[in-house]
Amino acid sequence: MAHPVLALATTAVTAAGCVWYLPALADLRAGADRPVSRRMRAASCVTAWATAATVAVLLLTTNPWTWPATAAATGTLLALALLVSSALHHARETREAATHWTELTPAQPPPTPDRTRYVVAVLLTTGLTTATLIGALRLAENPDTPTAWLTTITTPAAILALFITLAATHTHHHRPPH
């Protein structure tokens, strides 16, 4: 693919990503009003989108792939490091808050953590991965009839629909009490 076409696509996706990086910038501007973990997660988000914008500029200004690829790898690793650090800070903040609540109300046990979002994430990731693999395998078989194309399209869609249904059912049955 030509560099200008890829740069245009990257620019369009980066512009559309404002729904993520503008709230992240607001969290960064809020400073100490936000927890450290949230500010680090926001910094990770801004770093990832700034990396995409940098790659778009490098695709327009350089001819070899080495500079855009190096910028993408460096920015991605930095954003990932910030995200992992944010998760560690969040875990520490959660433990600290639980300790404080225990000190305030020692007779009441701390609430059990809600793991629903992790289960849903695993279900959706498994469904997407399975659907992608099956779709790729079906395409590798080189379908040549309309029926083969129909099953190539509907089988991954059905698998994904199954996992989405499982995730929705799990969320519905493990809803926290009000």
Side-chain angles (χ1 to χ4, degrees):
M1 183 178 293
H3 283 261
V5 174
L6 194 54
L8 179 64
T10 305
T11 303
V13 170
T14 303
C18 68
V19 298
W20 287 287
Y21 61 77
L22 289 179
L25 284 171
D27 281 345
L28 289 175
R29 282 190 48 93
D33 288 345
R34 302 286 192 273
V36 174
S37 63
R38 187 165 172 177
R39 291 189 312 236
M40 292 185 83
R41 190 172 51 238
S44 172
C45 177
V46 170
T47 301
W49 286 106
T51 299
T54 303
V55 168
V57 169
L58 288 173
L59 284 170
L60 286 175
T61 58
T62 61
N63 194 17
W65 288 97
T66 54
W67 289 109
T70 303
T74 304
T76 302
L77 288 175
L78 180 59
L80 185 62
L82 285 168
L83 191 61
V84 168
S85 181
S86 168
L88 294 174
H89 275 282
H90 181 70
R92 188 176 315 126
E93 290 165 357
T94 303
R95 281 192 307 272
E96 185 177 315
T99 303
H100 290 166
W101 279 108
T102 303
E103 291 171 1
L104 289 173
T105 56
Q108 190 176 23
T112 58
D114 184 23
R115 301 195 193 301
T116 301
R117 68 180 180 168
Y118 301 115
V119 173
V120 169
V122 167
L123 284 170
L124 292 179
T125 303
T126 304
L128 282 170
T129 304
T130 306
T132 302
L133 288 174
I134 289 180
L137 290 173
R138 294 288 300 164
L139 284 174
E141 293 174 358
N142 199 12
D144 52 359
T145 64
T147 307
W149 273 107
L150 182 65
T151 58
T152 299
I153 293 169
T154 57
T155 304
I159 290 171
L160 187 57
L162 171 71
F163 278 94
I164 289 172
T165 304
L166 288 172
T169 304
H170 179 80
T171 303
H172 180 71
H173 288 299
H174 292 88
R175 193 176 309 165
H178 295 299

